[in-house]
Amino acid sequence: MNWRIAEIGWRIFPGAIATVVFASLLKLGALQPLEHIAYQGLFRLRGEQPWDDRIVLVKIDDASLKKLGRFPWSRQRYTELLNQLDKANANLVVMDLLLSERSAEDAALAEVMSRIPVVLAEGEDRKGSLLLPIPSLYQNAIATGHIRVMADEDGIVRKIEPRSRNAFALGIATVNAYSLTRETIPLPDVSHPIWLNWAGRVEHLQQVSFVDVLQGKVNSAIFENKIVLVGMTATATDATPTPFDQNPPAHGVHLQATLIHNLLQQNSLRPIDQSWMMALILIVG
């Protein structure tokens, strides 16, 4: 009987050692590259999901830069855009752009912002100093939100800090404003990071070119009662890879679109607590 117990013990021992080693590597983060590969693979295995049709992107793309000139543009461009969106009865406009420098056209932009709800972005310079919209625009915005993001080693942003320097993330500020103007959307627990649930390729998001809107080439019905997100998508600017878009990558504005999509759909990811993961590994081992 004793030899049988000893035989079982010798068979279990290597598996137990392997389990402890694996759990230790997971705890120390040594397996993170494998986790990142698995993360991307699982999204591709799941496949794409429809983007929320309440979101429309006005993209500052290569065609817009070619027609309207090099960036940054005169504030008059944004005033023209907001006037068009106001006429189209857009519900809310989100500017994923930093408007922290004064301009001669600020008064006109501030005036149109008093007629249509606009959410503005807050950012940081290279030294970490806070960059706010100039006062006249800040005062006329329905809300502001931070665009601070931290990418993982593979360049993909997996989670967003809900608050930074007492400001909500731009996507959260947007959904808060949408709740005030349209319908109430419950927010997740903002005391913890929000894990992004990538919908699919960014080309499948409703989108139009900035210059096409200004030139009247876009049917205004596409904007009616919608959240209109404005941001840069030109080549080699603000590259942000996703599990579905890596070559070429997506852009920072698509990250904000994903956060807004997740909040509207109530489908942000909920990661398994690491203590539960460790227990599962030990049980399986």
Side-chain angles (χ1 to χ4, degrees):
M1 188 69 175
N2 288 338
W3 69 268
R4 178 70 68 180
I5 294 173
E7 181 184 5
I8 293 171
W10 278 109
R11 290 185 178 181
I12 292 175
F13 184 72
I17 292 295
T19 300
V20 171
V21 170
F22 186 84
S24 300
L25 290 173
L26 182 65
K27 186 73 173 177
L28 294 171
L31 299 178
Q32 199 164 68
L34 294 177
E35 291 182 57
H36 289 170
I37 292 171
Y39 174 93
Q40 296 182 49
L42 287 171
F43 270 110
R44 296 191 189 108
L45 184 64
R46 183 207 69 186
E48 297 189 60
Q49 296 179 338
W51 286 87
D52 194 294
D53 63 6
R54 288 168 284 186
I55 307 169
V56 178
L57 171 63
V58 174
K59 55 185 180 179
I60 302 174
D61 55 2
D62 293 331
S64 297
L65 296 182
K66 185 177 180 179
K67 290 281 188 179
L68 302 178
R70 295 176 60 185
F71 206 77
W73 290 336
S74 161
R75 297 280 164 81
Q76 179 60 29
R77 300 296 188 194
Y78 306 126
T79 301
E80 293 171 13
L81 176 70
L82 290 182
N83 275 319
Q84 298 236 26
L85 296 177
D86 183 33
K87 293 176 183 176
N89 294 317
N91 180 263
L92 184 68
V93 181
V94 187
M95 305 284 282
D96 186 21
L97 303 164
L98 290 175
L99 304 177
S100 56
E101 300 290 335
R102 294 181 184 275
S103 164
E105 295 93 5
D106 288 337
L109 181 57
E111 190 279 328
V112 71
M113 285 175 58
S114 68
R115 293 187 274 111
I116 181 170
V118 177
V119 181
L120 296 179
E122 300 182 13
E124 295 178 350
D125 62 18
R126 293 181 179 179
K127 296 180 180 179
S129 299
L130 183 62
L131 295 176
L132 292 173
I134 66 163
S136 62
L137 302 182
Y138 187 93
Q139 292 164 7
N140 282 278
I142 190 173
T144 62
H146 80 79
I147 52 175
R148 182 175 181 271
V149 296
M150 296 294 290
D152 288 329
E153 292 83 354
D154 58 354
I156 293 179
V157 177
R158 289 173 168 79
K159 56 187 177 181
I160 297 289
E161 290 296 333
R163 286 182 180 271
S164 179
R165 300 191 181 194
N166 296 320
F168 279 122
L170 185 64
I172 297 177
T174 296
V175 173
N176 273 335
Y178 183 76
S179 293
L180 294 173
T181 60
R182 192 70 182 171
E183 59 183 292
T184 301
I185 306 293
L187 291 180
D189 182 2
V190 294
S191 64
H192 301 287
I194 296 176
W195 287 73
L196 297 172
N197 184 357
W198 300 99
R201 284 178 289 176
V202 297
E203 66 184 39
H204 295 154
L205 173 66
Q206 289 186 98
Q207 55 196 288
V208 292
S209 177
F210 192 110
V211 68
D212 287 346
V213 179
L214 291 196
Q215 294 179 349
K217 296 179 179 179
V218 176
N219 186 341
S220 62
I222 193 176
F223 301 121
E224 188 172 0
N225 296 322
K226 298 297 176 67
I227 297 172
V228 181
L229 187 56
V230 183
M232 180 69 72
T233 66
T235 303
T237 59
D238 197 19
T240 305
T242 80
F244 296 102
D245 295 273
Q246 297 192 0
N247 188 25
H251 296 79
V253 69
H254 298 125
L255 186 151
Q256 299 300 332
T258 299
L259 177 56
I260 295 168
H261 166 85
N262 288 170
L263 296 174
L264 291 175
Q265 291 288 319
Q266 301 284 289
N267 68 350
S268 57
L269 298 181
R270 293 170 176 80
I272 299 173
D273 186 85
Q274 196 172 56
S275 61
W276 282 100
M277 182 65 74
M278 298 290 285
L280 180 61
I281 290 170
L282 290 171
I283 291 169
V284 172

